[in-house]
């Protein structure tokens, strides 16, 4: 399997370097991403998953639509494309 690629807001693309979560990957790339609890409780890190699949490394307590993920709780299983909320 190839290293998963993460594309953000149709612009920034980088390769996942096996950080604990997608949120950690975004921070390692200095991409400002929303978050609060880092535990899947608050939903602040919720983003739209445009393409690809993720795997949850910890259980979330937030209800999500089919096209939403919590970046603090998952890692990419495939290449993914996400859309961060506008400020």
């Amino acid at each position: 399997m190839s290293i998963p690629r993460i594309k953000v807001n149709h612009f920034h693309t980088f390769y996942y370097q096996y950080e604990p979560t997608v949120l950690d990957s975004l921070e390692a790339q200095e991409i400002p991403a929303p978050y609060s609890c880092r535990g899947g409780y608050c939903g602040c890190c919720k983003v739209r998953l445009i393409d690809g699949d993720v795997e949850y490394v910890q259980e979330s307590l937030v209800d999500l639509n089919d096209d939403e993920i919590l970046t603090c709780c998952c890692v990419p299983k495939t290449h993914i494309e996400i859309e961060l909320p506008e400020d």
Side-chain angles (χ1 to χ4, degrees), residues 5-15 26 29-32 48 50 80-84 86:
R5 183 179 60 241
I6 300 173
K7 187 172 186 176
V8 181
N9 289 354
H10 309 289
F11 174 71
H12 194 94
T13 301
F14 63 95
Y15 286 93
L26 294 168
Q29 295 293 315
E30 298 182 358
I31 297 171
R48 183 169 165 243
I50 297 169
I80 63 172
E81 183 173 353
I82 61 174
E83 183 177 88
L84 299 178
E86 300 284 327

Side-chain angles (χ1 to χ4, degrees), residues 10-58:
H10 309 289
F11 174 71
H12 194 94
T13 301
F14 63 95
Y15 286 93
Y16 174 63
Q17 298 297 313
Y18 303 101
E19 291 88 359
T21 66
V22 171
L23 177 59
D24 293 311
S25 294
L26 294 168
E27 290 177 334
Q29 295 293 315
E30 298 182 358
I31 297 171
Y35 72 92
S36 184
C37 72
R38 291 186 176 267
Y41 305 114
C42 71
C44 287
C45 68
K46 181 172 30 178
V47 301
R48 183 169 165 243
L49 179 64
I50 297 169
D51 191 32
D53 292 310
V54 297
E55 176 179 359
Y56 280 86
V57 294
Q58 69 185 55

